[in-house]
Structure formats: C-alpha cells, structure tokens
Amino acid sequence: MKENSLVTDDLVARDLAHVWHPCTQMKDHEQFPIIPIARGQGVWLEDFDGNKYIDAISSWWVNIFGHANQTIGAAIAKQTQQLEHVLLAGFSHQPIIHLSEQLVEITPEPLQKCFYADNGSSAVEVSLKMSFHYWKNIGKPKKKKFVTLQNSYHGETLGALSVGDVALYKDTYKSLLLDVITVPGADSYNMEPGEQTEDYVLRMFTYMEETLSEHHEEISAVIVEPLVQCAGSMRMYDAKYLTLLRAACDKYNVHLIADEIAVGFGRTGTMFACEPANISPDFMCLSKGLTGGYLPLSVVLTTNQIYDAFYDDYETMRGFLHSHSYTGNPLACAAALATLSIFHNRDTIQRNKNLIQRIKENGQRFENHPNIGQVRQTGMIFAVEMVEDKAAKTPHPWQQRRGLKAYKHALSKHILLRPLGNVLYFMPPYIIEPEQIDLVLEVMEEAVNVAVAN
Ligand code: PMP
C-alpha cells in the first residue's frame, strides 16, 4: 500500500509539472489531488493504491459499455494489424464503409450521407458550416444566422461555443464569437406549478415561432440538444417541443441540427433522442458513445438533398472543402462497429428498460428532500438539483461549490460523480448491475446531505 502511495505521489507531481487538465482551475489541485488511474474494468476504475471507483458518469458520457470491454478492445487490436490509418480524401476503407451503412440504417430514413470528424465540437462546426454553405450554394447567402436555445451546450471551439449558452464556458470569450439568436426553450425546471406539460411546451414554443417568423430569411439553422441539455445541468424538456420545432423549420425553410453527441446511442432510452418526437433533423451530430468511449470519432449525418447542393463540377467551387487529419480513422471506425454490434447482439435498448426503471424507483428517495428543487430523469440520465429553498427553488450561491463537496464525499465512498454546479447526475455505463445502481443512488443521497449541510 505504502509503496503504491509513493507511485501515486510521484505520478501526481509529474502530472502537475506538465499536464494542463481540461475544464479545471488547476489551483484547485492544491486542495485535492488529481487521481491517476491504473486500470479500468467494467464500471470500475482503479487507482494505484488499489482504490476502486464506480464510473457513474461514464467518463464524460462516452463509456457506454464499460472499461476494458473485450469486444471493442479486440476489434481495435484486429484493425491495428490491418490498417491503422489512411487519409479519407481520395481513399476509403472497409470499416468506414460498413460503419456509414450501419449509421444510415439506424438513423431516420432521410439521413443518407455521413461526414466524419474526430470530436463532438468539430461535428458541430461541420453542421454549422454545411448548413450555411448549403444556402449559399442554392443562392440564399443571406441565411447565415443560427438559432439556439437558452442553456444549451454544443462544445468549446469558437463556432460551437457561439451556439452554446452556458455562461461559465462562454462569457469570457464572448467578444470572439458569432452573433446568434438565443431563444428560451421548454426546460421542465421552469414550468409553473400545476401547469400541464403540453400547455407549457406550447407556451414556450411561441418564442421560437416568433423568432422564425420574424427572422427566417436570415436564419440558416436551429441547433438543439434533443430532450436533455446535458452540460447545461442535465435540464430536460418534452419531445413535443421537437415535433413543433421540426414543423416550424419546415414551414420557415430553416435547417434543424440535432446535436445528439451526448444523448445519442441509447442514453435517453431510445437509440436516438429524436425518436420519441418522431422527427428527422437535417443534420444529426454524433460522437461520444459512438466508439463506446474507446477512440475519438464524430459524424454528421445529412440528407441527399443537402449533399446534392454541393455536388457539381470542381470549378463551381461548391464542394465542402472541410477536413481533419484523422477524419474517419479506421481504428475508431472499428471501435464504432464493435460498439454497434454490442447494441445489436445484446438488445441493449430493451435491456436498459429494466435499469431505467430501477433508477426511477430508487430515485424517488429524493422527491421529498428539503434541498432538492427537482428530480429528473430521461432514460439513462438521472439528475437532482440542490437548492437552498425547495418551494422557491432558490439556488445555492455558486461560490459555495456545494457540488464539489458532494463530489468529494462520493469519491470517499468509491463512486465517481462529477456534479455540474449544484446538480448531481447519474449517467452510468449500460453494463451497470441493478445493485450498483442502488449503491450509487444511496451514496448520491448521502452526498447531497453532506453538500447542503452548512
Ligand atoms: N455537444 C454536446 C451536446 C456535448 O455534450 C458535447 C460534449 N460534452 C459536445 C457537443 C462537444 O463534444 P467534444 O467534447 O467531443 O468536443
């Protein structure tokens, strides 16, 4: 044990000497140390001292079938012997062809073409550029504005950040960003007491309807995270909003971009979050779970109609000349194919129904908690929002960092949670056992109690 602790101390010191960690005020690590992880297995992560942690947030929502998954690992290993990489301009390979066929098969029917990138933000950039470029190609260059919902999140690169609305990430860079139109959504947290969901959604949709009606001639696309605004504190809204939005985008000749980077691949209970609304977007962005959390890969699916507007003689300069070096990397595609095979073979969506139910039953323990303003769940995403006053939903001042207290407590109980401000959420790998769900929710309740105590 002692020896191992020395290993940890050494790694921590060397890490802090040279590694600048994402989404982190590095000075925080003077207070609590970074945790080097030695290995992972299933839902478990293990550090160099032999401490194990349940990865209750799927390592930022990517690891959907657990760590050290045999099927995905073996598929990547096999692919390394065949072809590790080839540029995708002018060349192709079997994994990307198979993967594109399968993605087209499992997404809504109008989506027929796949454009690849290597992370979520880049996929969002692709969808924004493609939308604008489509309108330009068909002679409508004035359509260049993007509409986004309040509290949305679409990534950190400048275009993606522009269409996001989380102040914590955006405000500092505002002067660098695109001018977008931000509209209130139908966040269930803001519903009036006693109001029916349908009435609320209709009421909130009027903001979008008005915006589109007034500005559609200059609007290129509306971008949304279907059903759950994940980085925006796991705020949730009803599928009816998406149905209305699709109809309005059609009416006003505006593209709909569905950013399913976090919610795709079974996270909300169906394979894709657009399904309960029975809609097909003009662009669907996918990443994260696509490779089971093994390798970075993202894709934008779109329609033949959009593709055709770029298809012309080279000299017309209508082509989409966007690229990333690792576009369509064969190893990442092999990981994605293995991930899809697990969905298929194990009937994951069906099996998750029991887990979803288990989370629901267990999560009821928070309903009457005096410091929980809302308990919310959409499929395999569960969240509780800590508040100072339940009736008024008064938030705890952010400076008190109550989420951090919850994080530390959960870690001491071997559960990895990473709260978003005052919101604790549970977004586990789909291979989690029912008893592990019970354990995580029990610790989550303890963590809330610790965090709200003065
Ligand atoms: N869109 C959504 C909805 C996301 O949740 C994220 C990542 N959290 C992104 C885009 C950006 O993806 P990446 O971090 O891979 O750039």
Side-chain angles (χ1 to χ4, degrees), residues 150-389:
Q150 276 177 3
N151 189 49
S152 55
Y153 179 91
H154 298 286
E156 300 290 341
T157 54
L158 294 179
L161 200 57
S162 302
V163 291
D165 185 46
V166 178
L168 180 64
Y169 311 126
K170 184 169 183 174
D171 276 5
T172 307
Y173 307 100
K174 234 172 190 163
S175 61
L176 299 178
L177 303 180
L178 296 174
D179 184 23
V180 302
I181 304 176
T182 308
V183 174
D187 182 346
S188 66
Y189 195 67
N190 300 327
M191 243 163 96
E192 294 296 333
E195 192 173 18
Q196 295 299 308
T197 302
E198 171 116 7
D199 296 339
Y200 175 63
V201 168
L202 286 171
R203 176 164 72 82
M204 296 311 287
F205 194 75
T206 55
Y207 294 101
M208 180 62 79
E209 177 79 37
E210 275 166 24
T211 301
L212 292 176
S213 152
E214 214 170 299
H215 302 287
H216 63 94
E217 280 177 7
E218 39 170 337
I219 294 174
S220 182
V222 179
I223 182 165
V224 292
E225 296 156 272
L227 300 186
V228 187
Q229 297 185 314
C230 293
S233 302
M234 300 292 162
R235 292 290 183 86
M236 300 176 184
Y237 63 95
D238 193 81
K240 170 88 179 163
Y241 190 90
L242 296 170
T243 312
L244 295 172
L245 181 58
R246 175 69 273 180
C249 286
D250 287 343
K251 177 173 164 193
Y252 292 110
N253 214 15
V254 161
H255 291 145
L256 175 58
I257 303 173
D259 174 353
E260 294 230 12
I261 287 162
V263 292
F265 297 105
R267 196 42 89 179
T268 59
T270 49
M271 192 62 173
F272 297 105
C274 282
E275 287 173 30
N278 206 13
I279 59 153
S280 177
D282 300 287
F283 301 94
M284 184 186 271
C285 304
L286 301 172
S287 187
K288 292 196 186 271
L290 173 60
T291 61
Y294 265 68
L295 286 165
L297 181 70
S298 62
V299 59
V300 179
L301 285 114
T302 191
T303 62
N304 280 335
Q305 190 203 350
I306 286 170
Y307 177 84
D308 289 345
F310 292 80
Y311 196 89
D312 210 337
D313 295 329
Y314 185 82
E315 295 71 23
T316 63
M317 291 313 287
R318 284 161 173 252
F320 190 61
L321 306 185
H322 179 108
S323 64
H324 298 284
S325 311
Y326 281 98
T327 296
N329 173 260
L331 300 177
C333 292
L337 283 166
T339 302
L340 290 179
S341 79
I342 300 174
F343 269 106
H344 195 64
N345 297 339
R346 304 211 190 139
D347 202 5
T348 304
I349 300 295
Q350 195 54 34
R351 285 180 71 248
N352 278 359
K353 291 201 166 109
N354 290 334
L355 302 178
I356 290 167
Q357 187 56 25
R358 185 88 168 210
I359 296 171
K360 189 168 182 196
E361 282 161 15
N362 240 299
Q364 281 168 5
R365 57 165 24 99
F366 293 98
E367 287 290 351
N368 296 320
H369 194 290
N371 292 101
I372 294 297
Q374 191 188 36
V375 182
R376 43 186 182 262
Q377 183 182 1
T378 303
M380 293 292 285
I381 309 175
F382 174 84
V384 292
E385 182 139 355
M386 297 187 290
V387 289
E388 224 167 53
D389 181 279

Side-chain angles (χ1 to χ4, degrees), residues 4 23 30 33 48 70 75 86 122 135 167 190 199 205 221 229 236 277 279 332 337 359 400-401 407 435 447:
N4 280 338
C23 203
E30 289 178 10
F48 284 84
Q70 287 297 317
V86 62
S122 300
W135 297 118
N190 300 327
D199 296 339
F205 194 75
Q229 297 185 314
M236 300 176 184
I279 59 153
L337 283 166
I359 296 171
Q400 294 175 357
R401 303 187 78 183
Y407 166 79
E435 298 72 28

